[in-house]
Amino acid sequence: MASAFKTATGNDIGTSLSTVYTCPSSTTTTIIGLYLCNVGGADINATAQFYDASTTNHISIVHGIEIPAGSTLAPIGGDAKVVLEAGDAIKVQSNTASSIDVVLSYLEQT
């Protein structure tokens, strides 16, 4: 089984739910860090979701959480991890246009 540490990013994410990462087929992925940075000039409300492909459900990791202007929130990291199977995804959304930059650190095992 091969393992590789990787990073996915998203920039200027706004009011549409945007996919930051989708787990490839024949792969298991462990999310080891998710960072949401408010790049706007005012406070925003952010949502991060886990999409479970096996049930087609969107499950909130954080929902409508306030991020002050110029601040970063880390809803996944430290002892908190999320495991994705093929087709599962991490998605992000804001209540304000073009206001979140995202860095997602993960370990893929194939």
Side-chain angles (χ1 to χ4, degrees):
M1 179 178 284
S3 298
F5 287 101
K6 298 183 178 183
T7 302
T9 60
N11 68 310
D12 294 332
I13 292 175
T15 57
S16 296
L17 192 59
S18 300
T19 301
V20 177
Y21 173 80
T22 302
C23 185
S25 62
S26 302
T27 303
T28 300
T29 298
T30 302
I31 306 300
I32 56 178
L34 174 63
Y35 306 93
L36 310 176
C37 180
N38 178 350
V39 295
D43 295 356
I44 62 168
N45 293 318
T47 296
Q49 294 183 343
F50 166 76
Y51 172 72
D52 184 346
S54 65
T55 63
T56 66
N57 288 323
H58 287 86
I59 309 301
S60 291
I61 296 167
V62 292
H63 182 80
I65 193 162
E66 185 174 317
I67 304 176
S71 296
T72 298
L73 173 72
I76 300 173
D79 291 337
K81 309 285 187 280
V82 175
V83 176
L84 280 65
E85 297 172 339
D88 293 347
I90 298 294
K91 300 181 179 189
V92 175
Q93 182 177 18
S94 174
N95 69 331
T96 304
S98 302
S99 60
I100 298 178
D101 282 356
V102 178
V103 176
L104 178 75
S105 299
Y106 58 96
L107 173 65
E108 276 187 349
Q109 294 179 311
T110 55

Coordinates of all heavy atoms in Angstrom, one line a residue:
M1 N 0.8 -1.2 0.0 CA 0.0 0.0 0.0 C 0.9 1.2 0.0 O 1.7 1.4 0.9 CB -0.9 0.0 1.2 CG -1.8 1.2 1.3 SD -2.9 1.2 2.7 CE -4.1 0.0 2.2
A2 N 0.7 2.1 -1.0 CA 1.5 3.3 -1.1 C 0.8 4.5 -0.3 O -0.4 4.6 -0.4 CB 1.7 3.7 -2.5
S3 N 1.6 5.3 0.3 CA 1.1 6.5 1.0 C 1.8 7.7 0.6 O 3.0 7.7 0.3 CB 1.3 6.3 2.6 OG 0.6 5.2 3.0
A4 N 1.0 8.8 0.5 CA 1.6 10.1 0.1 C 0.9 11.2 0.8 O -0.3 11.3 0.8 CB 1.5 10.3 -1.4
F5 N 1.7 12.1 1.5 CA 1.1 13.4 2.0 C 0.9 14.4 0.9 O 1.8 14.5 0.0 CB 2.1 13.9 3.1 CG 2.1 13.2 4.4 CD1 3.2 12.3 4.6 CD2 1.1 13.3 5.3 CE1 3.2 11.5 5.8 CE2 1.1 12.6 6.5 CZ 2.2 11.7 6.7
K6 N -0.2 15.0 0.9 CA -0.5 16.0 -0.2 C -1.3 17.2 0.4 O -1.7 17.2 1.6 CB -1.4 15.3 -1.2 CG -0.7 14.2 -1.9 CD -1.5 13.6 -3.1 CE -0.8 12.5 -3.8 NZ -1.6 12.0 -4.9
T7 N -1.5 18.2 -0.5 CA -2.2 19.4 -0.1 C -3.1 19.8 -1.2 O -2.8 19.7 -2.4 CB -1.3 20.6 0.2 OG1 -0.4 20.2 1.2 CG2 -2.0 21.8 0.6
A8 N -4.4 20.2 -0.9 CA -5.3 20.8 -1.9 C -5.6 22.2 -1.4 O -5.6 22.4 -0.2 CB -6.6 19.9 -1.9
T9 N -5.9 23.1 -2.3 CA -6.2 24.4 -2.0 C -7.5 24.9 -2.7 O -7.8 24.4 -3.8 CB -5.1 25.4 -2.3 OG1 -4.8 25.3 -3.6 CG2 -3.8 25.0 -1.4
G10 N -8.0 26.0 -2.2 CA -9.1 26.7 -2.9 C -9.0 28.1 -2.5 O -8.6 28.5 -1.4
N11 N -9.3 29.0 -3.5 CA -9.1 30.4 -3.2 C -10.4 31.2 -3.6 O -11.1 30.8 -4.5 CB -7.9 31.1 -3.8 CG -7.9 31.1 -5.3 OD1 -8.2 30.2 -5.9 ND2 -7.6 32.3 -5.8
D12 N -10.6 32.3 -2.9 CA -11.8 33.1 -3.1 C -13.1 32.4 -3.2 O -14.0 32.7 -4.0 CB -11.6 33.9 -4.4 CG -10.4 34.9 -4.3 OD1 -10.1 35.4 -3.2 OD2 -9.8 35.2 -5.4
I13 N -13.3 31.4 -2.3 CA -14.5 30.7 -2.3 C -15.6 31.6 -1.7 O -15.4 32.3 -0.8 CB -14.4 29.4 -1.4 CG1 -13.4 28.4 -2.2 CG2 -15.7 28.7 -1.1 CD1 -13.1 27.2 -1.4
G14 N -16.8 31.5 -2.3 CA -17.9 32.3 -1.9 C -19.1 31.6 -1.5 O -19.1 30.6 -0.8
T15 N -20.3 32.1 -2.0 CA -21.6 31.6 -1.6 C -22.0 30.3 -2.2 O -23.1 29.8 -1.8 CB -22.6 32.7 -1.9 OG1 -22.6 33.0 -3.3 CG2 -22.3 34.0 -1.1
S16 N -21.3 29.7 -3.1 CA -21.6 28.4 -3.7 C -20.8 27.4 -2.9 O -19.6 27.6 -2.6 CB -21.3 28.3 -5.1 OG -22.1 29.2 -5.9
L17 N -21.4 26.2 -2.6 CA -20.7 25.1 -2.0 C -19.7 24.6 -3.0 O -20.0 24.1 -4.0 CB -21.7 24.0 -1.6 CG -21.2 22.9 -0.7 CD1 -20.7 23.5 0.7 CD2 -22.3 21.9 -0.4
S18 N -18.4 24.7 -2.6 CA -17.3 24.4 -3.5 C -16.5 23.2 -3.0 O -16.1 23.1 -1.8 CB -16.3 25.6 -3.6 OG -17.0 26.7 -4.1
T19 N -16.3 22.3 -3.9 CA -15.5 21.1 -3.6 C -14.0 21.4 -3.6 O -13.5 21.9 -4.6 CB -15.8 19.9 -4.6 OG1 -17.2 19.6 -4.6 CG2 -15.0 18.7 -4.3
V20 N -13.4 21.2 -2.4 CA -11.9 21.4 -2.3 C -11.2 20.1 -2.6 O -10.1 20.2 -3.2 CB -11.6 21.9 -0.9 CG1 -10.1 22.1 -0.7 CG2 -12.3 23.2 -0.6
Y21 N -11.7 19.0 -2.3 CA -11.0 17.7 -2.5 C -12.1 16.6 -2.6 O -13.0 16.5 -1.9 CB -10.1 17.4 -1.4 CG -9.4 16.0 -1.5 CD1 -8.4 15.8 -2.3 CD2 -9.9 14.9 -0.7 CE1 -7.8 14.5 -2.4 CE2 -9.4 13.7 -0.8 CZ -8.3 13.5 -1.7 OH -7.8 12.2 -1.8
T22 N -11.8 15.7 -3.6 CA -12.6 14.4 -3.7 C -11.7 13.3 -3.7 O -10.7 13.2 -4.4 CB -13.4 14.4 -5.0 OG1 -14.3 15.6 -5.1 CG2 -14.3 13.2 -5.2
C23 N -12.0 12.3 -2.9 CA -11.1 11.1 -2.7 C -11.2 10.2 -4.0 O -12.3 9.9 -4.4 CB -11.6 10.3 -1.5 SG -10.6 8.9 -1.2
P24 N -10.1 9.9 -4.6 CA -10.1 9.1 -5.8 C -10.5 7.7 -5.6 O -10.5 7.2 -4.5 CB -8.6 9.2 -6.3 CG -7.9 10.3 -5.5 CD -8.7 10.4 -4.2
S25 N -10.8 7.0 -6.7 CA -11.2 5.6 -6.6 C -10.0 4.8 -6.1 O -8.8 5.2 -6.3 CB -11.7 5.1 -8.0 OG -10.6 5.1 -8.9
S26 N -10.3 3.6 -5.5 CA -9.2 2.7 -4.9 C -8.3 3.4 -4.0 O -7.1 3.1 -3.9 CB -8.4 2.1 -6.1 OG -9.3 1.4 -6.9
T27 N -8.8 4.4 -3.2 CA -8.0 5.2 -2.3 C -8.8 5.5 -1.0 O -10.0 5.6 -1.0 CB -7.7 6.6 -3.0 OG1 -7.0 6.4 -4.2 CG2 -6.8 7.5 -2.1
T28 N -8.0 5.5 0.1 CA -8.5 6.0 1.4 C -7.7 7.2 1.7 O -6.5 7.2 1.6 CB -8.4 4.9 2.5 OG1 -9.1 3.8 2.1 CG2 -8.9 5.4 3.8
T29 N -8.4 8.3 2.2 CA -7.7 9.5 2.5 C -8.0 9.9 3.9 O -9.2 9.9 4.3 CB -8.1 10.6 1.5 OG1 -7.8 10.3 0.2 CG2 -7.5 12.0 1.9
T30 N -7.0 10.3 4.7 CA -7.1 10.9 6.0 C -6.9 12.4 5.9 O -5.8 12.8 5.5 CB -6.2 10.2 7.0 OG1 -6.4 8.8 7.0 CG2 -6.4 10.7 8.4
I31 N -7.9 13.1 6.3 CA -7.7 14.6 6.3 C -7.0 14.9 7.6 O -7.5 14.6 8.7 CB -9.0 15.3 6.2 CG1 -9.8 14.9 5.0 CG2 -8.8 16.8 6.3 CD1 -9.2 15.1 3.7
I32 N -5.8 15.6 7.6 CA -5.1 15.9 8.8 C -5.1 17.3 9.1 O -4.7 17.7 10.2 CB -3.6 15.4 8.6 CG1 -2.9 15.9 7.4 CG2 -3.6 13.8 8.6 CD1 -1.5 15.5 7.3
G33 N -5.6 18.2 8.2 CA -5.7 19.6 8.5 C -6.6 20.3 7.5 O -6.5 20.0 6.3
L34 N -7.5 21.1 8.0 CA -8.4 22.0 7.2 C -8.3 23.4 7.7 O -8.7 23.6 8.9 CB -9.8 21.4 7.2 CG -10.8 22.3 6.4 CD1 -10.5 22.4 4.9 CD2 -12.2 21.7 6.6
Y35 N -7.9 24.3 6.9 CA -7.7 25.7 7.4 C -8.6 26.6 6.5 O -8.5 26.6 5.2 CB -6.3 26.1 7.3 CG -5.4 25.2 8.1 CD1 -4.8 24.1 7.4 CD2 -5.2 25.3 9.4 CE1 -4.0 23.2 8.2 CE2 -4.5 24.4 10.2 CZ -3.8 23.4 9.5 OH -3.1 22.5 10.2
L36 N -9.5 27.4 7.1 CA -10.3 28.3 6.4 C -9.9 29.8 6.8 O -10.0 30.1 7.9 CB -11.8 28.1 6.8 CG -12.3 26.7 6.7 CD1 -13.7 26.6 7.2 CD2 -12.2 26.2 5.3
C37 N -9.4 30.5 5.8 CA -8.9 31.9 6.1 C -9.9 32.9 5.5 O -10.2 32.9 4.3 CB -7.6 32.1 5.5 SG -6.9 33.7 5.7
N38 N -10.4 33.8 6.3 CA -11.2 34.9 5.8 C -10.3 36.0 5.2 O -9.5 36.7 5.9 CB -12.0 35.5 7.0 CG -12.8 36.7 6.6 OD1 -12.8 37.2 5.5 ND2 -13.7 37.1 7.6
V39 N -10.4 36.1 3.9 CA -9.6 37.0 3.1 C -10.3 38.4 2.9 O -9.8 39.2 2.2 CB -9.0 36.4 1.8 CG1 -8.1 35.3 2.1 CG2 -10.2 36.0 0.9
G40 N -11.5 38.5 3.4 CA -12.3 39.7 3.2 C -12.1 40.7 4.3 O -11.3 40.5 5.2
G41 N -12.7 41.9 4.1 CA -12.5 43.0 5.1 C -13.5 43.0 6.2 O -13.5 43.9 7.0
A42 N -14.4 42.0 6.3 CA -15.5 42.0 7.3 C -15.6 40.5 7.8 O -15.1 39.6 7.1 CB -16.8 42.5 6.7
D43 N -16.3 40.4 8.9 CA -16.5 39.0 9.5 C -17.4 38.3 8.5 O -18.2 38.9 7.8 CB -17.2 39.1 10.8 CG -16.4 39.8 11.9 OD1 -15.2 40.1 11.6 OD2 -16.9 40.0 13.0
I44 N -17.2 36.9 8.4 CA -18.0 36.1 7.6 C -18.5 34.9 8.4 O -18.0 34.6 9.5 CB -17.2 35.6 6.3 CG1 -16.0 34.7 6.8 CG2 -16.8 36.7 5.4 CD1 -15.3 34.0 5.7
N45 N -19.4 34.1 7.8 CA -19.9 32.9 8.3 C -19.5 31.8 7.3 O -19.8 31.9 6.2 CB -21.4 32.9 8.6 CG -21.8 33.8 9.7 OD1 -21.1 33.9 10.7 ND2 -22.8 34.6 9.5
A46 N -18.8 30.8 7.8 CA -18.3 29.7 7.0 C -19.0 28.4 7.3 O -19.3 28.1 8.5 CB -16.8 29.6 7.1
T47 N -19.0 27.5 6.3 CA -19.5 26.1 6.4 C -18.5 25.2 5.8 O -18.1 25.5 4.6 CB -20.9 26.0 5.8 OG1 -21.8 26.8 6.5 CG2 -21.4 24.6 5.8
A48 N -18.2 24.1 6.4 CA -17.4 23.1 5.8 C -18.1 21.8 6.0 O -18.7 21.5 7.1 CB -16.0 23.0 6.5
Q49 N -18.2 21.0 4.9 CA -19.0 19.8 4.9 C -18.2 18.6 4.4 O -17.3 18.7 3.6 CB -20.2 19.9 4.0 CG -21.2 20.9 4.5 CD -22.5 21.0 3.7 OE1 -22.5 20.5 2.5 NE2 -23.5 21.6 4.2
F50 N -18.6 17.4 4.9 CA -18.1 16.1 4.5 C -19.2 15.6 3.6 O -20.4 15.5 4.0 CB -17.8 15.2 5.7 CG -17.7 13.8 5.3 CD1 -16.5 13.3 4.8 CD2 -18.7 12.9 5.6 CE1 -16.3 12.0 4.5 CE2 -18.5 11.5 5.3 CZ -17.4 11.1 4.7
Y51 N -18.9 15.2 2.3 CA -19.9 14.6 1.5 C -19.6 13.1 1.5 O -18.5 12.7 1.1 CB -19.8 15.1 0.0 CG -20.6 14.4 -0.9 CD1 -22.0 14.5 -0.9 CD2 -20.0 13.5 -1.8 CE1 -22.8 13.7 -1.8 CE2 -20.8 12.7 -2.7 CZ -22.2 12.9 -2.7 OH -23.0 12.1 -3.5
D52 N -20.6 12.3 1.9 CA -20.5 10.9 2.0 C -21.1 10.3 0.7 O -22.3 10.3 0.6 CB -21.2 10.4 3.3 CG -21.1 8.9 3.5 OD1 -20.6 8.2 2.5 OD2 -21.4 8.4 4.6
A53 N -20.2 9.8 -0.2 CA -20.7 9.3 -1.5 C -21.5 8.1 -1.3 O -22.4 7.9 -2.2 CB -19.5 9.1 -2.4
S54 N -21.3 7.3 -0.3 CA -22.1 6.0 -0.2 C -23.5 6.3 0.2 O -24.4 5.5 -0.1 CB -21.4 5.1 0.9 OG -21.5 5.7 2.1
T55 N -23.8 7.4 0.8 CA -25.2 7.7 1.2 C -25.7 9.0 0.5 O -26.9 9.3 0.7 CB -25.3 8.0 2.8 OG1 -24.5 9.1 3.1 CG2 -24.8 6.7 3.5
T56 N -24.8 9.7 -0.2 CA -25.1 11.0 -0.9 C -25.6 12.0 0.1 O -26.4 12.9 -0.2 CB -26.1 10.8 -2.1 OG1 -27.4 10.4 -1.6 CG2 -25.6 9.8 -3.1
N57 N -25.1 12.0 1.3 CA -25.4 13.0 2.3 C -24.3 14.0 2.5 O -23.1 13.6 2.5 CB -25.7 12.3 3.7 CG -27.0 11.6 3.7 OD1 -28.0 12.0 3.1 ND2 -27.0 10.4 4.4
H58 N -24.6 15.2 2.8 CA -23.7 16.3 3.2 C -23.8 16.4 4.7 O -24.9 16.7 5.2 CB -24.0 17.6 2.5 CG -23.7 17.6 1.1 ND1 -24.6 17.2 0.1 CD2 -22.6 18.1 0.4 CE1 -24.0 17.4 -1.1 NE2 -22.8 17.9 -0.9
I59 N -22.7 16.2 5.4 CA -22.6 16.3 6.8 C -21.7 17.5 7.2 O -20.6 17.5 6.8 CB -22.0 15.0 7.4 CG1 -22.7 13.7 6.8 CG2 -22.0 15.0 8.9 CD1 -24.2 13.6 7.1
S60 N -22.3 18.3 8.1 CA -21.5 19.5 8.5 C -20.4 19.2 9.4 O -20.5 18.4 10.4 CB -22.4 20.6 9.1 OG -23.3 21.1 8.2
I61 N -19.2 19.8 9.1 CA -18.1 19.7 10.0 C -18.2 21.0 10.9 O -18.0 20.9 12.1 CB -16.7 19.7 9.2 CG1 -16.6 18.4 8.4 CG2 -15.5 19.8 10.2 CD1 -15.5 18.4 7.4
V62 N -18.4 22.1 10.3 CA -18.8 23.4 10.9 C -19.9 24.0 10.1 O -19.8 23.8 8.8 CB -17.6 24.4 11.1 CG1 -16.6 23.8 12.2 CG2 -16.9 24.7 9.8
H63 N -20.8 24.7 10.7 CA -21.9 25.3 9.9 C -22.2 26.7 10.4 O -22.5 26.9 11.6 CB -23.2 24.4 10.1 CG -24.3 25.0 9.3 ND1 -24.5 24.7 8.0 CD2 -25.4 25.7 9.7 CE1 -25.5 25.3 7.5 NE2 -26.1 25.9 8.5
G64 N -22.0 27.6 9.5 CA -22.3 29.0 9.8 C -21.4 29.6 10.9 O -21.8 30.5 11.6
I65 N -20.2 29.1 11.0 CA -19.3 29.6 12.1 C -18.7 30.9 11.7 O -18.3 31.0 10.6 CB -18.3 28.5 12.5 CG1 -17.6 28.9 13.8 CG2 -17.3 28.3 11.4 CD1 -16.9 27.7 14.4
E66 N -18.6 31.8 12.6 CA -18.1 33.1 12.3 C -16.6 33.1 12.3 O -15.9 32.5 13.2 CB -18.5 34.1 13.4 CG -18.1 35.6 13.0 CD -18.7 36.6 14.0 OE1 -19.9 36.5 14.3 OE2 -17.9 37.5 14.4
I67 N -16.0 33.7 11.2 CA -14.6 33.9 11.2 C -14.3 35.4 11.0 O -14.7 36.0 10.0 CB -13.9 33.2 9.9 CG1 -14.3 31.7 10.0 CG2 -12.4 33.4 9.9 CD1 -13.8 30.9 8.7
P68 N -13.7 36.0 12.0 CA -13.4 37.4 11.9 C -12.5 37.8 10.7 O -11.7 37.0 10.3 CB -12.7 37.7 13.3 CG -13.1 36.6 14.2 CD -13.2 35.4 13.3
A69 N -12.6 39.0 10.3 CA -11.8 39.5 9.1 C -10.4 39.2 9.4 O -9.9 39.5 10.5 CB -12.1 41.0 8.9
G70 N -9.6 38.7 8.4 CA -8.2 38.5 8.5 C -7.8 37.3 9.4 O -6.7 37.1 9.7
S71 N -8.8 36.5 9.9 CA -8.5 35.4 10.8 C -8.6 34.0 10.0 O -9.2 33.9 9.0 CB -9.5 35.4 12.0 OG -9.3 36.5 12.7
T72 N -8.1 33.0 10.7 CA -8.1 31.6 10.1 C -8.8 30.7 11.2 O -8.5 30.8 12.4 CB -6.7 31.1 9.8 OG1 -6.2 32.0 8.8 CG2 -6.7 29.7 9.3
L73 N -9.6 29.8 10.7 CA -10.2 28.7 11.5 C -9.7 27.4 11.1 O -9.6 27.1 9.9 CB -11.7 28.8 11.3 CG -12.5 27.6 12.0 CD1 -12.5 27.8 13.5 CD2 -13.9 27.6 11.5
A74 N -9.4 26.5 12.0 CA -8.9 25.2 11.7 C -9.8 24.1 12.3 O -9.6 23.6 13.4 CB -7.5 25.0 12.2
P75 N -10.9 23.8 11.6 CA -11.9 22.8 12.1 C -11.4 21.4 12.1 O -12.0 20.6 12.8 CB -13.1 23.0 11.2 CG -12.6 23.6 9.9 CD -11.4 24.4 10.3
I76 N -10.4 21.1 11.3 CA -9.8 19.7 11.4 C -8.3 19.9 11.6 O -7.6 20.7 10.9 CB -10.0 18.9 10.1 CG1 -11.5 18.8 9.8 CG2 -9.3 17.6 10.1 CD1 -11.8 18.1 8.5
G77 N -7.7 19.2 12.6 CA -6.3 19.3 12.8 C -6.0 18.8 14.2 O -7.0 18.5 15.0
G78 N -4.8 18.6 14.6 CA -4.5 18.1 15.9 C -5.0 16.7 16.1 O -4.7 15.8 15.2
D79 N -5.8 16.4 17.1 CA -6.4 15.1 17.3 C -7.6 14.8 16.4 O -8.0 13.7 16.3 CB -6.8 14.9 18.8 CG -5.6 14.9 19.7 OD1 -4.5 14.5 19.2 OD2 -5.7 15.2 20.9
A80 N -8.1 15.9 15.8 CA -9.3 15.7 15.0 C -8.9 15.3 13.5 O -8.2 16.1 12.9 CB -10.1 17.0 15.0
K81 N -9.4 14.2 13.1 CA -9.1 13.7 11.7 C -10.4 13.3 11.1 O -11.4 12.9 11.8 CB -8.1 12.5 11.7 CG -6.9 12.7 12.5 CD -5.9 13.5 11.8 CE -4.6 13.6 12.6 NZ -4.5 14.5 13.7
V82 N -10.5 13.2 9.8 CA -11.6 12.7 9.0 C -11.1 11.8 8.0 O -10.2 12.1 7.2 CB -12.4 13.9 8.4 CG1 -13.6 13.3 7.5 CG2 -13.0 14.8 9.4
V83 N -11.7 10.6 7.8 CA -11.3 9.6 6.9 C -12.3 9.6 5.7 O -13.5 9.5 5.9 CB -11.2 8.2 7.5 CG1 -10.9 7.1 6.5 CG2 -10.2 8.2 8.6
L84 N -11.8 9.7 4.5 CA -12.6 9.6 3.3 C -12.4 8.4 2.5 O -11.2 7.9 2.4 CB -12.3 10.8 2.4 CG -12.9 12.2 2.7 CD1 -12.4 12.7 4.0 CD2 -12.6 13.2 1.6
E85 N -13.5 7.8 1.9 CA -13.4 6.7 1.0 C -13.6 7.2 -0.4 O -14.0 8.4 -0.6 CB -14.4 5.7 1.4 CG -14.2 5.1 2.8 CD -15.3 4.2 3.3 OE1 -16.5 4.3 2.7 OE2 -15.1 3.4 4.2
A86 N -13.4 6.4 -1.4 CA -13.6 6.8 -2.8 C -14.9 7.5 -3.0 O -16.0 7.1 -2.6 CB -13.5 5.5 -3.7
G87 N -14.8 8.7 -3.6 CA -16.0 9.5 -4.0 C -16.4 10.5 -2.9 O -17.1 11.4 -3.2
D88 N -15.9 10.3 -1.7 CA -16.2 11.2 -0.6 C -15.5 12.6 -0.9 O -14.5 12.6 -1.6 CB -15.8 10.7 0.8 CG -16.6 9.5 1.2 OD1 -17.6 9.2 0.6 OD2 -16.1 8.9 2.2
A89 N -16.0 13.6 -0.3 CA -15.4 15.0 -0.6 C -15.5 15.9 0.6 O -16.3 15.7 1.5 CB -16.1 15.6 -1.8
I90 N -14.7 16.9 0.6 CA -14.7 18.0 1.5 C -15.1 19.3 0.7 O -14.5 19.6 -0.3 CB -13.3 18.3 2.2 CG1 -12.9 17.0 3.0 CG2 -13.4 19.5 3.0 CD1 -13.8 16.7 4.2
K91 N -16.2 20.0 1.2 CA -16.7 21.1 0.5 C -16.8 22.3 1.5 O -17.0 22.1 2.7 CB -18.1 20.8 0.0 CG -18.1 19.6 -1.0 CD -19.5 19.4 -1.5 CE -19.5 18.2 -2.5 NZ -20.8 18.1 -3.2
V92 N -16.6 23.5 0.9 CA -16.6 24.7 1.7 C -17.5 25.8 1.1 O -17.6 25.9 -0.1 CB -15.2 25.3 1.9 CG1 -15.1 26.6 2.6 CG2 -14.3 24.2 2.6
Q93 N -18.1 26.6 2.0 CA -19.0 27.7 1.5 C -18.9 28.9 2.5 O -18.6 28.7 3.7 CB -20.4 27.2 1.4 CG -21.4 28.2 0.9 CD -22.8 27.5 0.9 OE1 -23.0 26.5 1.5 NE2 -23.7 28.1 0.1
S94 N -19.1 30.1 2.0 CA -19.2 31.3 2.8 C -20.5 32.0 2.6 O -21.2 31.7 1.6 CB -18.1 32.2 2.5 OG -18.2 33.5 3.1
N95 N -20.9 32.9 3.5 CA -22.1 33.7 3.3 C -21.7 35.0 2.5 O -22.6 35.8 2.2 CB -22.7 34.1 4.6 CG -21.9 35.0 5.4 OD1 -20.7 35.0 5.4 ND2 -22.6 35.8 6.3
T96 N -20.4 35.1 2.1 CA -20.0 36.3 1.4 C -19.2 35.9 0.2 O -18.3 35.0 0.3 CB -19.1 37.2 2.4 OG1 -19.8 37.5 3.5 CG2 -18.6 38.5 1.7
A97 N -19.4 36.6 -0.9 CA -18.7 36.3 -2.2 C -17.1 36.4 -2.0 O -16.7 37.3 -1.3 CB -19.1 37.2 -3.3
S98 N -16.4 35.5 -2.6 CA -14.9 35.5 -2.7 C -14.3 35.8 -1.4 O -13.4 36.7 -1.3 CB -14.5 36.5 -3.8 OG -15.1 36.2 -5.0
S99 N -14.6 35.1 -0.3 CA -14.1 35.5 1.0 C -13.3 34.5 1.7 O -12.7 34.8 2.8 CB -15.3 35.9 1.9 OG -16.2 34.8 2.0
I100 N -13.2 33.3 1.2 CA -12.4 32.2 2.0 C -11.3 31.6 1.1 O -11.6 31.2 -0.1 CB -13.3 31.1 2.4 CG1 -14.4 31.6 3.4 CG2 -12.5 30.0 3.1 CD1 -15.3 30.5 3.9
D101 N -10.1 31.5 1.6 CA -9.1 30.7 1.1 C -9.0 29.4 1.9 O -9.2 29.5 3.1 CB -7.7 31.4 1.0 CG -7.6 32.4 -0.1 OD1 -8.5 32.6 -0.9 OD2 -6.6 33.1 -0.1
V102 N -8.7 28.3 1.3 CA -8.7 27.0 2.0 C -7.4 26.3 1.7 O -6.9 26.3 0.6 CB -9.8 26.1 1.5 CG1 -9.8 24.8 2.2 CG2 -11.2 26.8 1.7
V103 N -6.8 25.7 2.8 CA -5.7 24.8 2.7 C -6.1 23.5 3.3 O -6.6 23.5 4.5 CB -4.4 25.3 3.3 CG1 -3.3 24.3 3.3 CG2 -4.0 26.6 2.6
L104 N -6.0 22.4 2.6 CA -6.4 21.1 3.1 C -5.2 20.1 3.0 O -4.7 19.9 1.9 CB -7.6 20.5 2.2 CG -8.1 19.1 2.6 CD1 -8.9 19.2 3.8 CD2 -8.9 18.6 1.4
S105 N -4.8 19.6 4.1 CA -3.6 18.7 4.2 C -4.2 17.3 4.4 O -5.1 17.1 5.2 CB -2.7 19.1 5.3 OG -2.2 20.3 5.1
Y106 N -3.6 16.3 3.6 CA -4.2 15.0 3.7 C -3.1 13.9 3.4 O -2.1 14.2 2.8 CB -5.4 14.8 2.8 CG -5.1 15.1 1.4 CD1 -4.9 14.1 0.5 CD2 -5.2 16.4 0.8 CE1 -4.7 14.3 -0.9 CE2 -5.0 16.6 -0.5 CZ -4.7 15.6 -1.4 OH -4.5 15.9 -2.7
L107 N -3.5 12.7 3.8 CA -2.6 11.5 3.5 C -3.5 10.6 2.7 O -4.5 10.1 3.1 CB -2.2 10.8 4.8 CG -1.5 9.5 4.7 CD1 -0.1 9.7 4.0 CD2 -1.3 8.8 6.1
E108 N -3.0 10.3 1.5 CA -3.7 9.3 0.6 C -3.0 8.0 0.7 O -1.8 7.9 0.6 CB -3.6 9.8 -0.9 CG -4.7 10.8 -1.3 CD -4.7 11.1 -2.8 OE1 -3.8 10.7 -3.5 OE2 -5.7 11.7 -3.2
Q109 N -3.8 6.9 0.7 CA -3.3 5.6 0.7 C -4.0 4.8 -0.4 O -5.2 4.8 -0.5 CB -3.6 4.9 2.1 CG -2.8 5.5 3.2 CD -3.2 4.9 4.6 OE1 -4.3 4.7 4.9 NE2 -2.1 4.5 5.3
T110 N -3.1 4.2 -1.3 CA -3.7 3.5 -2.4 C -3.3 2.1 -2.4 O -2.3 1.7 -1.7 CB -3.2 4.1 -3.7 OG1 -1.7 4.2 -3.7 CG2 -3.7 5.5 -3.9

